[in-house]
Amino acid sequence: MEKITINLLPREVKEAQRVQSKFYKVQAISIIVILTMIFLASVTFALGVLQSESIRDANFNLSASENKLSEFKSKEGALLILKNRASFVSQLTTAPSKQRTAYSLVSNLLPESVLVGSLEADRTGNLNLALVAENGADLDEFLANLVDPQKSEGYIKKVELDSFSRGRDGTYRANLKITIK
Amino acid sequence: MIDKENIKIFYFKYKFIIFSIAVILSCLILIALVIYPQLLSLLEKRRVHQEITQKTEILVVKANELESINEEELSKKIENITLALPPDQDYTSAINVLQNIISENGFSLVSMQLSQSSVAVPNLKGFSIKIETIGPRLVFSNLLNSIENASRVMKVSGLELTSQRRNDEVSASITVDVYFAPLPTTLGASDSPLSKLTENEEEIVSKLSQNIKTNGFNASSGLSGSLPSRGKLNPFE
């Protein structure tokens, strides 16, 4: 036979009990939340302390490495000087001067019978040439070589014929201005 | 009395809301005043730690690399390269080198003229030497090659040539730019990477050493008969 339970408490008391139990639950949850927050704050604080410790250790290692490196300061200086000089020398010696290149080019293209009376290469490498040739064909050949980009290796930008004459002795004289690229 | 009673009634009526607001507020205060600043500081400390560790690693590697370098070999290279590109004008060595080159190529020196010149490369300085010389036309190209491949770094910057029709001689006026570079005075930051030579630079250094060796260069006394470079080779010593 089933038991019959009868709550004889007044309705207001029952309501008050229900509200109170609900409030206890809220209180419990609040305490858990606050404790979690405190726990998080403590963890971050502890981690901060640990981190400071490891920074102190790292700084100690850093000063040890710096001390070790300072022993090789003169070697490092020597290496820096070597690098500094080598890079300058490399910049200066990678390519021959324009003047040297221009001279080599003209010498290579010049037929044997054509003589260079005078040659002048300025700071930009441009050439002024005074030529003397026994026959016009060789002079023609030289001029053709100069303006041929394949033979002049694409190095010559412009060839100007300043003057051209034929002397009483039958020799040809020409003054050329060669602009280098 | 009435106020207290009223407050009590108000609290009992709204205790859920009041309690929740109090808890939320205290959580927010805890987050704002403790947790957030601590987290920021943790992240900052982590960054600092990483930086220090990285710097230490670089320094260790740098120190090991420096330790492995042969000091004697390095000094030899420095000597050679300083003779090729001295820290000051060192006119005598430049003149000696040019004189040797001219005579080796069968040319005779008529005159030599020194003048200042400007160099486009920063930290690099130079001066010009104008040489008046006479010699065989056929080897003039070799003379120019020898000047530009000399043990002292120099370049031809101007050329005037007149040749005699009857013989194979040329009379030349060559302007040669001779270079020098003051020594660097600062080492830079300790954690800056070690200045290593590139393959091309290594080649240049060994070529220079070879050049100096074949030209009878005595590193301790300078180029045969010339004065040694003045000043300290390594200002960091």
Side-chain angles (χ1 to χ4, degrees):
Chain A
M1 199 179 142
E2 277 185 34
K3 278 182 183 175
I4 298 167
T5 53
I6 302 165
N7 195 342
L8 294 173
L9 283 168
R11 207 175 188 170
E12 304 82 55
V13 176
K14 271 202 291 184
E15 183 61 24
Q17 271 183 346
R18 200 181 58 79
V19 169
Q20 194 60 34
S21 85
K22 207 176 170 186
F23 186 61
Y24 284 147
K25 269 183 200 166
V26 170
Q27 270 183 326
I29 291 167
S30 303
I31 287 164
I32 289 167
V33 169
I34 286 177
L35 280 177
T36 312
M37 285 296 150
I38 291 169
F39 173 73
L40 277 177
S42 321
V43 166
T44 50
F45 182 75
L47 280 175
V49 172
L50 283 175
Q51 196 76 274
S52 301
E53 280 290 315
S54 62
I55 285 177
R56 205 171 302 143
D57 287 348
N59 269 325
F60 178 76
N61 288 339
L62 180 68
S63 1
S65 310
E66 275 174 341
N67 285 340
K68 195 184 174 191
L69 193 66
S70 65
E71 287 171 27
F72 303 110
K73 203 183 165 194
S74 70
K75 233 185 207 183
E76 193 187 354
L79 207 60
L80 180 77
I81 293 168
L82 185 66
K83 171 76 185 170
N84 168 277
R85 304 270 102 194
S87 84
F88 281 142
V89 175
S90 159
Q91 281 179 57
L92 293 167
T93 58
T94 315
S97 65
K98 279 188 169 183
Q99 292 76 7
R100 190 178 130 201
T101 315
Y103 178 81
S104 305
L105 192 68
V106 167
S107 319
N108 292 339
L109 298 178
L110 201 69
E112 264 186 46
S113 64
V114 181
L115 288 172
V116 177
S118 75
L119 180 147
E120 198 185 313
D122 61 15
R123 280 207 167 258
T124 54
N126 293 337
L127 288 177
N128 283 315
L129 274 176
L131 301 171
V132 181
E134 302 264 318
N135 63 70
D138 288 340
L139 198 60
D140 272 355
E141 188 196 332
F142 177 58
L143 288 171
N145 287 345
L146 284 178
V147 293
D148 183 345
Q150 273 189 331
K151 288 194 174 160
S152 66
E153 296 159 23
Y155 199 74
I156 292 170
K157 193 176 168 187
K158 196 166 69 177
V159 179
E160 288 171 71
L161 190 61
D162 272 357
S163 66
F164 183 76
S165 61
R166 191 173 182 197
R168 281 183 186 172
D169 54 354
T171 54
Y172 292 91
R173 288 171 196 279
N175 283 320
L176 298 181
K177 198 174 178 183
I178 302 169
T179 312
I180 301 294
K181 268 183 191 168
Chain B
M1 269 317 262
I2 302 160
D3 277 344
K4 252 188 180 177
E5 204 57 38
N6 278 344
I7 290 166
K8 228 175 183 181
I9 291 164
F10 180 81
Y11 175 73
F12 280 113
K13 198 174 178 186
Y14 298 106
K15 65 180 174 187
F16 279 96
I17 297 166
I18 292 168
F19 196 78
S20 308
I21 288 172
V23 169
I24 290 168
L25 269 179
S26 31
C27 284
L28 284 177
I29 288 169
L30 210 58
I31 288 170
L33 296 181
V34 184
I35 299 174
Y36 182 68
Q38 281 291 337
L39 273 176
L40 282 186
S41 139
L42 260 182
L43 290 174
E44 176 63 18
K45 280 178 182 171
R46 194 164 169 245
R47 192 188 58 79
V48 170
H49 186 262
Q50 269 178 347
E51 268 181 20
I52 296 171
T53 316
Q54 269 178 0
K55 196 177 172 183
T56 312
E57 275 169 20
I58 291 170
L59 293 189
V60 168
V61 170
K62 198 173 172 181
N64 289 341
E65 277 178 346
L66 282 168
E67 201 172 12
S68 68
I69 292 170
N70 184 332
E71 201 157 8
E72 215 172 288
E73 205 179 299
L74 183 65
S75 332
K76 196 83 199 152
K77 281 179 182 173
I78 290 272
E79 267 177 30
N80 290 341
I81 207 151
T82 314
L83 291 165
L85 190 67
D88 53 17
Q89 289 89 342
D90 201 1
Y91 295 117
T92 42
S93 95
I95 292 168
N96 262 315
V97 169
L98 282 172
Q99 275 178 334
N100 286 346
I101 288 170
I102 288 166
S103 63
E104 273 166 18
N105 282 284
F107 277 74
S108 48
L109 185 67
V110 178
S111 73
M112 231 182 216
Q113 205 181 316
L114 279 166
S115 64
Q116 291 301 315
S117 77
S118 58
V119 183
V121 185
N123 298 327
L124 193 66
K125 293 178 177 179
F127 58 91
S128 296
I129 300 179
K130 194 173 182 182
I131 315 157
E132 302 279 345
T133 180
I134 298 172
R137 184 168 57 91
L138 284 173
V139 290
F140 185 72
S141 195
N142 291 351
L143 176 72
L144 295 182
N145 285 350
S146 306
I147 289 172
E148 294 206 343
N149 291 310
S151 50
R152 173 89 191 250
V153 179
M154 43 181 83
K155 277 203 141 181
V156 175
S157 64
L159 199 60
E160 278 172 48
L161 199 77
T162 44
S163 59
Q164 310 299 316
R165 208 178 163 189
R166 289 198 179 85
N167 55 35
D168 274 343
E169 281 205 329
V170 284
S171 160
S173 162
I174 310 165
T175 310
V176 181
D177 280 347
V178 186
Y179 300 95
F180 65 94
L183 293 172
T185 48
T186 48
L187 264 181
S190 59
D191 60 338
S192 59
L194 200 61
S195 6
K196 281 183 193 162
L197 296 187
T198 60
E199 216 170 282
N200 182 36
E201 286 166 350
E202 278 283 4
E203 209 175 287
I204 283 167
V205 172
S206 61
K207 198 179 150 192
L208 272 175
S209 308
Q210 198 65 36
N211 207 354
I212 287 165
K213 218 181 267 179
T214 47
N215 285 341
F217 206 100
N218 183 346
S220 58
S221 64
L223 192 80
S224 44
S226 77
L227 293 170
S229 289
R230 291 181 300 263
K232 258 180 123 177
L233 276 183
N234 184 358
F236 304 102
E237 259 178 352

